[in-house]
Amino acid sequence: MRHEQQGQSEQKIVQAAQEGDLDSFAILYNRYHSPMVALGFSMLGDRDMADDAAGEAFAIACRDLSRLKSQEKFAAWLAGICRNVARQMLRATRAGEVVRTGGETTLKQDETEARRGAIRRAVAKLRGPERELIVLRYFDGFSQARISEVLGVSPQAVNSRLVRAKRKIAEYLKNDGFAGDSHETA
Amino acid sequence: MKRPEDNDRLDEALADAIGSDRPTRDFDEWKERYPQAVEMLTSRAKAASQASGRPPMKWSTMMRNRNIRYSAAAAAIIVAAIIGLTPFPGGSLTFAEAVEPILSAQTIAFDLVLGTDEASPAIHEVVAGSRIRRTISNIPGMVMILDLENQKMLALDTVRKTAGYVELGEVGHKTENYIEGVRRMARELKGRSDIEKLDGQEIDGEKVVRFTGGNEREKVVVWVSTKTRLPVRVELQLGQMPVVFKNFEFDVDLPDSDISMEIPEGYTKDAVQFDLSNAAEQDLVDSLRIWAEIVRDGTFPETIGTEQYMKSVAVLGGKIPQLDMPDSEKEQLGFKFGKGMIFLQKFEMGGKWGYAGKGVRLGDGGKVILWYQPEGAKAYRAIYGDLRAADVAEEDLPK
């Protein structure tokens, strides 16, 4: 019920933004900027580029907002724009290889860095949608409800996909030399 | 440090490896970086308040007054009924603003029609950089992915699940990217003060503003919605060839797989390869033969050009299965027909050429059906009804 009320409230915010109210757009920006940065980071592997992608996505949303017919799908619509921007940046630069190599370019790695590198390599191996989910969950601790809005899937689907993604990560870590119990729950 | 293989430790490890405590850019910082986007958003409120004669209502104020949305809606309806105003009078919109979405969109989708007849087959394109995904309305099941940077095309038959690569050669740069023609003209005209602007236009019931720029040889007309401030129609005249763009979508979500040059899983690669590069006069001759012999009844068409080719290609496709010839030759017919038109397109877009084949039967060697002036040449080349070609002086061309 509360989620439904919040959804209706956001629809009004989107509508006001469509009619040119900058304060309303600011609310949407503050609500979704961090998830968009996380989304960009899941594709680009570079924080600065992810910031740029998110900023660009909001600029495009500003321009095209009047064409959004389903106001309740603002978050998922914005996420689509952000993915597109990130893809374009990826095609232009290839910076995504940073996350794919998982920090292997670092010459001296203590155990912490080794673990971080292994985690990032494992995350990079996931399929795109799973990687997005994991990054959204752990980048800034977003709730399942928030992730559900951004990705346009139900909270139940978020939960079950998160479980599967973490199970895969645990298996990749095991194959990478971090042996142990691979049974995971969310 | 413990291994990150159990639940809590995996959560912790993921947060540690991926998490970020670096603050994201705040809204004020974003506004400074994107002032045009802000201007675009706030101009809607200004225009709406100008139309109604009242200051713009803020969302926060609206939400404190439950009845406001009903009276605001009623006011909007009355204003629209009496004055017929749209929220954005075209007055403040400039040509530069009008074409900005076309120039800045990272992906752009649209329909285009070659020629003046809007009932002609429509080409649907999604363009992302140097990649284009193209489908044609009268060739269902065919998807073409063009890689203009590498001058190659991947042709997919989604019904038969076959795929073939086509070399484009110079065609890839010169004639295939129609939206780039619009972008080039938009960039050239952006700062000019002689762009003609006309308010009070309408397209399919939508209020639009029309901008016209260019010259006799190359002209662009852009219609922009006064409501969304986005282009809804563009007409581009390149030499003798008009091109109409409509149904625009900007920054559409485009998965990499939609513009990948890899043959999709489950598709068989065609044994025959096609090469559209280096189209020459002989290709035009072959094309004319196919047109007269197979598409038509032994006579040449009334007119020819890219527009007519687009209409005829489906007719040819329907007749090919019934032809008495080896399959390998049948497979080449469509491309032979097209390659000749690629050669002709060079002249359509800005060269000297003419056509007089209407009513002429294939084999009538006494009549010139087509002539053109090769680049840099003084003499013309003429093609006769029996499809021989020869040099001819300008004074000897059909009037």
Side-chain angles (χ1 to χ4, degrees):
Chain A
M1 180 66 150
R2 189 172 160 208
H3 186 72
E4 201 181 297
Q5 284 174 342
Q6 282 176 347
Q8 287 172 350
S9 171
E10 179 162 300
Q11 259 182 271
K12 289 181 170 52
I13 297 172
V14 173
Q15 185 183 347
Q18 285 179 317
E19 288 165 6
D21 182 33
L22 192 60
D23 287 345
S24 302
F25 193 80
I27 292 171
L28 296 170
Y29 179 94
N30 291 327
R31 190 174 285 183
Y32 292 113
H33 186 250
S34 193
M36 292 307 115
V37 174
L39 210 59
F41 185 74
S42 76
M43 293 175 71
L44 295 161
D46 179 279
R47 179 54 200 269
D48 288 329
M49 290 182 73
D51 272 328
D52 286 344
E56 191 67 29
F58 275 96
I60 292 167
C62 223
R63 186 193 69 201
D64 294 351
L65 193 55
S66 57
R67 303 184 87 205
L68 173 65
K69 290 184 174 57
S70 307
Q71 289 151 349
E72 71 281 6
K73 292 183 181 166
F74 172 81
W77 174 75
L78 182 66
I81 294 173
C82 189
R83 278 189 200 98
N84 219 31
V85 171
R87 264 186 222 115
Q88 292 295 322
M89 291 170 79
L90 205 56
R91 282 179 199 135
T93 64
R94 299 182 68 81
E97 283 176 353
V98 170
V99 78
R100 278 146 183 76
T101 57
E104 280 166 0
T105 54
T106 308
L107 291 174
K108 285 186 181 177
Q109 292 180 339
D110 60 12
E111 197 177 317
T112 309
E113 276 310 307
R115 185 186 67 174
R116 283 183 186 147
I119 295 269
R120 288 175 190 149
R121 280 194 299 277
V123 171
K125 282 181 191 168
L126 295 173
R127 289 185 313 117
E130 288 172 335
R131 191 165 61 242
E132 278 183 3
L133 192 57
I134 288 289
V135 174
L136 277 166
R137 175 70 182 89
Y138 292 100
F139 184 83
D140 204 4
F142 300 120
S143 65
Q144 287 186 3
R146 180 75 83 85
I147 296 171
S148 149
E149 278 171 14
V150 170
L151 297 183
V153 298
S154 69
Q156 293 78 12
V158 167
N159 187 48
S160 60
R161 290 179 196 182
L162 211 48
V163 167
R164 280 200 296 273
K166 285 170 67 178
R167 188 172 292 138
K168 280 187 189 174
I169 289 172
E171 210 162 297
Y172 294 147
L173 288 170
K174 190 176 166 184
N175 295 338
D176 209 14
F178 289 87
D181 184 6
S182 63
H183 182 68
E184 299 297 327
T185 56
Chain B
M1 195 75 65
K2 292 181 179 175
R3 302 293 188 192
E5 63 269 13
D6 65 34
N7 293 346
D8 292 342
R9 284 202 292 260
L10 181 56
D11 278 341
E12 212 178 280
L14 281 164
D16 175 62
I18 296 168
S20 173
D21 49 17
R22 195 171 113 186
T24 58
R25 288 175 192 152
D26 69 16
F27 189 60
D28 287 335
E29 203 183 330
W30 179 84
K31 278 195 299 181
E32 272 179 46
R33 288 189 70 163
Y34 297 98
Q36 265 192 326
V38 173
E39 169 59 26
M40 214 159 185
L41 184 85
T42 54
S43 64
R44 290 178 199 140
K46 284 176 205 158
S49 73
Q50 281 166 11
S52 65
R54 291 175 300 171
M57 184 66 71
K58 294 174 78 67
W59 172 78
S60 50
T61 311
M62 283 170 74
M63 289 306 103
R64 281 200 291 274
N65 185 344
R66 284 185 188 179
N67 292 323
I68 201 75
R69 68 175 184 276
Y70 299 112
S71 59
I77 290 167
I78 290 164
V79 165
I82 293 174
I83 308 173
L85 279 178
T86 61
F88 308 104
S92 64
L93 188 64
T94 64
F95 179 76
E97 287 165 341
V99 297
E100 190 54 35
I102 295 175
L103 293 174
S104 63
Q106 298 191 333
T107 59
I108 178 169
F110 51 88
D111 291 333
L112 71 92
V113 174
L114 300 174
T116 53
D117 180 2
E118 292 209 32
S120 290
I123 300 172
H124 181 75
E125 292 199 348
V126 187
V127 181
S130 62
R131 294 280 176 102
I132 302 176
R133 182 183 176 86
R134 176 180 290 171
T135 54
I136 303 176
S137 62
N138 64 342
I139 314 178
M142 287 299 298
V143 175
M144 289 147 276
I145 315 293
L146 289 89
D147 178 353
L148 301 183
E149 196 179 322
N150 295 302
Q151 298 166 37
K152 257 180 126 162
M153 178 172 78
L154 174 65
L156 301 171
D157 184 333
T158 62
V159 175
R160 291 170 50 224
K161 295 281 190 250
T162 58
Y165 286 107
V166 181
E167 292 296 328
L168 297 177
E170 65 171 28
V171 165
H173 290 309
K174 285 189 181 171
T175 61
E176 290 292 329
N177 195 353
Y178 298 109
I179 197 66
E180 197 49 45
V182 175
R183 285 177 167 154
R184 178 178 53 76
M185 285 212 73
R187 278 189 286 265
E188 284 170 11
L189 296 170
K190 235 167 93 161
R192 299 251 299 255
S193 56
D194 58 345
I195 305 292
E196 183 192 302
K197 180 178 175 180
L198 195 63
D199 290 318
Q201 303 282 289
E202 222 177 84
I203 289 181
D204 296 332
E206 189 170 8
K207 299 254 187 295
V208 295
V209 176
R210 189 186 81 188
F211 294 92
T212 307
N215 51 48
E216 276 175 17
R217 198 170 168 278
E218 280 188 337
K219 191 168 91 168
V220 68
V221 186
V222 182
W223 285 265
V224 182
S225 165
T226 57
K227 184 179 177 191
T228 64
R229 296 170 82 87
L230 293 171
V232 296
R233 181 185 174 96
V234 173
E235 284 182 12
L236 186 66
Q237 185 79 30
L238 297 172
Q240 295 170 36
M241 188 160 79
V243 184
V244 176
F245 302 78
K246 49 189 177 178
N247 300 324
F248 286 99
E249 286 180 274
F250 301 98
D251 290 300
V252 292
D253 196 12
L254 186 63
D256 283 343
S257 56
D258 276 7
I259 49 170
S260 169
M261 288 297 286
E262 302 296 319
I263 294 177
E265 214 174 296
Y267 278 68
T268 317
K269 190 175 173 189
D270 273 331
V272 182
Q273 297 300 302
F274 304 103
D275 187 349
L276 291 179
S277 61
N278 303 315
E281 180 185 90
Q282 185 57 46
D283 297 301
L284 178 58
V285 166
D286 290 342
S287 194
L288 288 166
R289 180 189 304 282
I290 292 168
W291 214 323
E293 233 173 35
I294 301 175
V295 177
R296 292 174 56 81
D297 56 355
T299 58
F300 293 101
E302 292 183 13
T303 56
I304 65 168
T306 305
E307 180 180 355
Q308 291 71 31
Y309 163 74
M310 293 296 300
K311 289 176 179 172
S312 302
V313 72
V315 175
L316 175 65
K319 292 192 176 183
I320 286 176
Q322 283 89 45
L323 296 173
D324 181 20
M325 61 174 61
D327 283 347
S328 57
E329 278 185 42
K330 286 184 186 179
E331 279 168 7
Q332 291 283 347
L333 273 178
F335 278 91
K336 278 190 174 181
F337 189 44
K339 195 167 178 179
M341 288 302 104
I342 287 171
F343 178 76
L344 185 64
Q345 218 177 43
K346 284 191 264 192
F347 303 97
E348 268 188 299
M349 288 172 71
K352 288 185 182 175
W353 74 289
Y355 178 76
K358 179 181 175 182
V360 178
R361 285 209 74 81
L362 175 62
D364 184 349
K367 297 244 172 64
V368 172
I369 61 163
L370 186 149
W371 63 96
Y372 68 94
Q373 187 179 43
E375 203 174 328
K378 282 190 180 161
Y380 283 73
R381 292 286 289 175
I383 299 173
Y384 294 80
D386 58 358
L387 296 181
R388 67 187 162 82
D391 286 341
V392 66
E394 189 171 0
E395 53 268 24
D396 296 328
L397 293 172
K399 299 293 177 278

